[in-house]
Amino acid sequence: GAVVSQHPSRVICKSGTSVKIECRSLDFQATTMFWYRQFPKQSLMLMATSNEGSKATYEQGVEKDKFLINHASLTLSTLTVTSAHPEDSSFYICSARTGGQGRNSPLHFGNGTRLTVT
Amino acid sequence: RKEVEQDPGPFNVPEGATVAFNCTYSNSASQSFFWYRQDCRKEPKLLMSVYSSGNEDGRFTAQLNRASQYISLLIRDSKLSDSATYLCVVNPQNDMRFGAGTRLTVKP
């Protein structure tokens, strides 16, 4: 089946530093990838849609200058949390669709990155 | 109103029980629907897609009611391994919107 690999799975950083999270589609090309965030006991919240070769589309309330997204190839999207603060501590998950941008195809998720900012 | 709403749960059921989850969505233009399960501190995994005519996969049955804008998931003969959070997912545009999830605990 389709595999989405996310790295790192866990990161602890100090307040004010930046953290980069990578999301790779291993056996398919993903023109679009999605970045979600999940706080404890809450649902996944879409942060942004990452489009290969163009700018990401951010959801309302998500700061694009704080959460930098780069989708430089069909198999790699990165999310950089800049100047991280403790309130950014969360579970970040990327996902991608197989079947191009077919709306009826399900999402496949990376294994997530648990970020803790001290 | 939230785009996708689910029974908050939690549902605590004995092994072998039948349990049903419901989910409503607000965007009538939504085209595709899914149920995912998420184990504690893990990523969501696709359980099944939901088709207009309803579909079954072993002990799991999913149904869609477009007129009332809700989908359901029925789990028969529940197992301990079914304990997880079940997420209703709706695709209104080219993205996915998740419900808050319903937590299920199956007890021996």
Side-chain angles (χ1 to χ4, degrees):
Chain A
V3 177
V4 176
S5 173
Q6 190 173 338
H7 178 80
S9 58
R10 180 184 293 266
V11 60
I12 300 173
C13 70
K14 292 186 177 180
S15 186
T17 60
S18 295
V19 175
K20 180 185 280 189
I21 303 170
E22 293 187 347
C23 180
R24 294 179 185 275
S25 56
L26 297 184
D27 54 359
F28 65 100
Q29 293 183 331
T31 55
T32 304
M33 290 186 176
F34 304 96
W35 287 95
Y36 290 85
R37 179 168 55 181
Q38 186 176 35
F39 292 105
K41 298 187 179 181
Q42 294 187 26
S43 64
L44 277 78
M45 297 301 295
L46 180 65
M47 298 177 66
T49 301
S50 171
N51 304 297
E52 187 269 335
S54 64
K55 292 182 179 180
T57 305
Y58 289 81
E59 293 298 298
Q60 192 173 9
V62 178
E63 299 174 58
K64 62 180 181 180
D65 294 329
K66 180 171 180 63
F67 299 98
L68 302 178
I69 291 174
N70 184 282
H71 195 155
S73 76
L74 287 171
T75 59
L76 174 63
S77 175
T78 61
L79 168 68
T80 301
V81 183
T82 63
S83 187
H85 289 97
E87 57 265 31
D88 297 324
S89 299
S90 187
F91 190 49
Y92 292 84
I93 314 176
C94 70
S95 65
R97 263 202 190 90
T98 54
Q101 295 184 1
R103 288 168 57 181
N104 292 325
S105 56
L107 285 177
H108 298 275
F109 286 87
N111 54 340
T113 298
R114 192 160 302 280
L115 171 64
T116 302
V117 184
T118 61
Chain B
R1 182 185 173 187
K2 292 182 181 178
E3 289 189 72
V4 182
E5 295 202 61
Q6 289 185 244
D7 290 343
F11 285 65
N12 298 304
V13 303
E15 269 186 293
T18 295
V19 60
F21 305 138
N22 292 319
C23 168
T24 58
Y25 59 95
S26 60
N27 191 327
S28 59
S30 299
Q31 293 295 317
S32 50
F33 311 88
F34 308 93
W35 283 101
Y36 280 74
R37 69 170 278 168
Q38 186 176 23
D39 294 292
C40 189
R41 302 175 74 87
K42 298 282 189 181
E43 77 278 15
K45 291 187 186 292
L46 178 66
L47 179 64
M48 60 196 304
S49 302
V50 186
Y51 302 121
S52 297
S53 55
N55 49 299
E56 187 173 305
D57 183 1
R59 299 182 292 109
F60 300 86
T61 301
Q63 301 226 317
L64 167 65
N65 185 319
R66 285 189 185 273
S68 301
Q69 293 181 207
Y70 82 81
I71 66 175
S72 64
L73 176 69
L74 183 77
I75 304 175
R76 292 182 299 277
D77 188 24
S78 53
K79 311 290 185 190
L80 296 177
S81 57
D82 293 334
S83 297
T85 296
Y86 289 83
L87 304 170
C88 167
V89 182
V90 175
N91 179 194
Q93 303 290 336
N94 191 33
D95 57 18
M96 298 282 209
R97 302 290 170 168
F98 285 76
T102 301
R103 179 150 184 78
L104 170 67
T105 300
V106 180
K107 299 185 175 180

